Amino acid sequence: MRRKRFDATPCHVFNHAVGEANLFEDDPDRLRFVRYVRRALQTTRVTLLAWVLMKTHYHLLVVGSSAQVSRLMKMIQLRYAVYFNRRYGKRGHCFE
């Protein structure tokens, strides 16, 4: 059975880097990620309530429909993966 979500229910979303890798090496990485979160929030109907960035993962507390939260996550992670791979000369997935 599919889980029901209501638009006004806070949703904890998170993801972490592949394996034991760091997702954020330094402040420029963290600032870039925050910039991507802000841009994605402007184009989705999602409200950000809280967030935290750790070295290997991140957490977001958001409110929005499942479709809009999914869209937000796709936008953030795709943009950040492209940035990260280019900056560090890597290929493939950044997130598990």
Side-chain angles (χ1 to χ4, degrees):
M1 176 184 268
R2 238 175 172 199
R3 197 173 3 167
K4 290 183 181 178
R5 277 223 345 98
F6 300 94
D7 287 354
T9 304
C11 178
H12 172 224
V13 293
F14 61 94
N15 210 339
H16 59 89
V18 173
E20 301 294 321
N22 287 337
L23 196 54
F24 308 106
E25 295 290 345
D26 55 18
D27 285 341
D29 287 348
R30 288 182 276 279
L31 292 171
R32 182 65 63 114
F33 186 85
V34 169
R35 185 181 312 153
Y36 292 150
V37 170
R38 285 182 179 155
R39 283 186 193 163
L41 287 167
Q42 291 173 350
T43 61
T44 59
R45 290 185 305 275
V46 175
T47 302
L48 180 65
L49 301 177
W51 57 277
V52 64
L53 304 182
M54 309 298 282
K55 198 165 186 111
T56 61
H57 63 286
Y58 68 89
H59 298 264
L60 305 176
L61 185 61
V62 297
V63 175
S65 70
S66 293
Q68 289 295 307
V69 171
S70 178
R71 183 170 172 235
L72 176 88
M73 298 299 290
K74 181 180 178 181
M75 291 171 69
I76 294 167
Q77 293 180 166
L78 177 63
R79 288 179 177 148
Y80 188 76
V82 169
Y83 156 79
F84 188 87
N85 284 342
R86 282 186 182 153
R87 181 168 186 210
Y88 296 104
K90 296 185 178 195
R91 295 178 59 139
H93 297 280
C94 285
F95 301 97
E96 284 199 2

